[in-house]
Amino acid sequence: MQDTLSRRSLNRALLARQLLLRRDPLPGAAGPRAGRVIETVEHLVGLQAQAPFPPYYGLLSRLDGFRPGDLSSLLVDRRVVRIGLMRGTIHLVSADDCLGLRPVLQEALERGLRANFGRQLTGVDRAELAAAGRALVEDRPMTFSELGAALSPRWPGHPPNALAQGVRALVPLVQVPPRAVWGEAGQAAHTSAESWLGRPLAADASVEAVMLRYLAAFGPATAADAQAWSGLTGLREVTERLEPQLRTFRDEQGRELFDLPDGPRPDPDTPAPVRMVAEFDNLVLSHADRARVISEPDRQRLYSRNGIFPGTVLIDGFVRGMWRLTTGRGLAVLTVEMFGPAGGRDRDAVTAEGERVLEFAAPGSPDAEIRFGPIS
């Protein structure tokens, strides 16, 4: 007989694994400090990063004492990179995870290529396209616009953007600095992961290892949850192979959940502090059924913002609002939109978290403020 886990039980398990029940302090020394940041990025199996800076706020919500330079230096030193991975979206991952995750996700990325650009690439030899694109970006990092333009003379009957996207799916392309370096601006220019990191892709990568890491960061979960997070298919068969080393549960709807035997599953009444979670954070995006962290009506509110997935406000572990930061010309405004009434204590906690975000984004600014109201 499998134990049933309530929605609150799943919520607290997710928060514990996402490092959102308490913030661990960063060490003071540079070496251990950098190591702790990389360890956090790897534990989370990367941070979603379509925009350059959400990963900074993702780490801010999880690590006490985190500063922008803690991540910027790792990007510049090539110890973390930005690359298309899960669901075909850009993630910030460690160098080791870049080389280890990409081979497992290759089939999903090529499936996405066929779905989105297959007709536009009819007649293009994939191996030739990959080789030509790799040679170009390894000669010098290129934007997709530059890459498409450079490939177009060889395949004149095909849209340049489709050619560039073909290379993106077929070759592991990382975005190079200054893209996403705090305080700097730069277009998304790409080169191959192997060239940038000086190492080949992992030869021993396995979907089973990725599944176990998903459960460590997001479990307990169904196979469908893991597929929603990764973009992979056939994960039910993977969980069946792994089942002898897993624990199984049921959720309140009777669905089978898989988990690591020693995965944290806190008491459902464990207090959950108010947190401001970053834009595009995988906390809200990594399950087929997201009720463990957000209700369906509130999820719909997040998706009605012109394609921009805002930061979210957690109260008692669940999404109860969203936030957006606007900066420029010395001004920093954090706008918070709550989905319903927030009591005085919760509002004070939201304000305190907002002040923490503002101090991170605009330290010492006299023109930083928090506004409660609708996000335009």
Side-chain angles (χ1 to χ4, degrees):
M1 185 69 178
Q2 294 170 318
D3 292 336
T4 297
L5 296 178
S6 68
R7 186 182 66 159
R8 285 186 67 87
S9 295
L10 292 174
N11 174 268
R12 292 315 193 249
L14 177 61
L15 294 180
R17 297 168 202 219
Q18 286 290 296
L19 313 178
L20 291 167
L21 285 180
R22 66 182 181 89
R23 278 191 276 257
D24 288 336
L26 280 176
R33 192 178 183 89
R36 181 71 180 101
V37 173
I38 293 174
E39 178 185 312
T40 301
V41 172
E42 290 186 337
H43 170 75
L44 298 170
V45 204
L47 295 108
Q48 191 160 324
Q50 290 103 313
F53 301 114
Y56 289 85
Y57 295 97
L59 292 170
L60 176 70
S61 67
R62 294 170 168 95
L63 295 173
D64 192 29
F66 176 74
R67 299 189 294 263
D70 295 324
L71 183 56
S72 286
S73 62
L74 297 177
L75 278 163
V76 173
D77 293 343
R78 308 188 188 194
R79 298 177 69 182
V80 301
V81 296
R82 295 164 52 82
I83 183 172
L85 290 171
M86 285 72 73
R87 306 182 298 281
T89 57
I90 298 294
H91 278 70
L92 181 137
V93 295
S94 71
D96 286 345
D97 273 353
C98 168
L99 300 172
L101 291 171
R102 179 60 188 244
V104 177
L105 294 160
Q106 185 60 40
E107 186 278 330
L109 293 166
E110 292 188 34
R111 178 165 25 88
L113 175 66
R114 291 191 297 271
N116 295 312
F117 297 97
R119 290 186 178 181
Q120 297 178 54
L121 293 176
T122 299
V124 175
D125 183 280
R126 301 296 196 265
E128 290 183 15
L129 178 62
R134 179 184 288 275
L136 287 166
V137 298
E138 289 184 352
D139 180 59
R140 69 173 179 87
M142 287 184 162
T143 66
F144 285 140
S145 177
E146 292 170 332
L147 179 58
L151 292 165
S152 192
R154 184 164 176 176
W155 289 280
H158 302 275
N161 180 58
L163 296 169
Q165 291 300 319
V167 176
R168 177 184 187 268
L170 299 168
V171 180
L173 297 182
V174 299
Q175 295 183 0
V176 303
R179 182 69 169 176
V181 172
W182 191 267
E184 297 190 32
Q187 291 183 297
H190 307 80
T191 190
S192 73
E194 299 95 328
S195 174
W196 186 249
L197 298 176
R199 291 184 281 156
L201 299 181
D204 58 351
S206 74
V207 67
E208 288 83 3
V210 173
M211 183 70 191
L212 293 173
R213 291 190 58 192
Y214 170 75
L215 293 175
F218 298 98
T222 65
D225 289 326
Q227 291 184 174
W229 166 76
S230 64
L232 295 169
T233 58
L235 293 187
R236 177 68 204 191
E237 291 79 6
V238 175
T239 56
E240 289 175 355
R241 293 197 296 271
L242 291 171
E243 194 162 353
Q245 57 185 291
L246 300 176
R247 280 198 65 182
T248 58
F249 302 90
R250 295 280 174 182
D251 66 13
E252 292 173 323
Q253 286 70 46
R255 291 172 291 217
E256 188 172 32
L257 302 165
F258 300 91
D259 200 13
L260 305 180
D262 58 352
R265 291 178 288 273
D267 187 287
D269 293 325
T270 301
V274 168
R275 289 287 185 262
M276 285 192 166
V277 181
E279 296 173 297
F280 304 108
D281 199 286
N282 277 326
L283 173 78
V284 187
L285 297 172
S286 294
H287 297 86
D289 178 9
R290 298 169 188 176
R292 69 184 65 199
V293 71
I294 186 170
S295 70
E296 181 57 25
D298 288 343
R299 188 185 75 84
Q300 291 296 326
R301 295 191 193 199
L302 297 181
Y303 280 96
S304 62
R305 303 288 159 166
N306 300 319
I308 302 298
F309 195 94
T312 52
V313 179
L314 301 184
I315 295 178
D316 189 32
F318 292 87
V319 174
R320 304 298 189 203
M322 52 192 172
W323 63 273
R324 182 161 295 160
L325 180 67
T326 305
T327 60
R329 296 185 179 181
L331 180 67
V333 177
L334 181 71
T335 304
V336 179
E337 180 177 336
M338 304 304 299
F339 295 156
R345 182 176 297 180
D346 288 337
R347 189 180 177 97
D348 289 346
V350 171
T351 299
E353 282 293 292
E355 289 172 347
R356 188 171 182 271
V357 169
L358 283 175
E359 180 58 27
F360 178 83
S365 172
D367 295 319
E369 63 175 302
I370 299 173
R371 298 174 183 171
F372 285 85
I375 294 176
S376 57

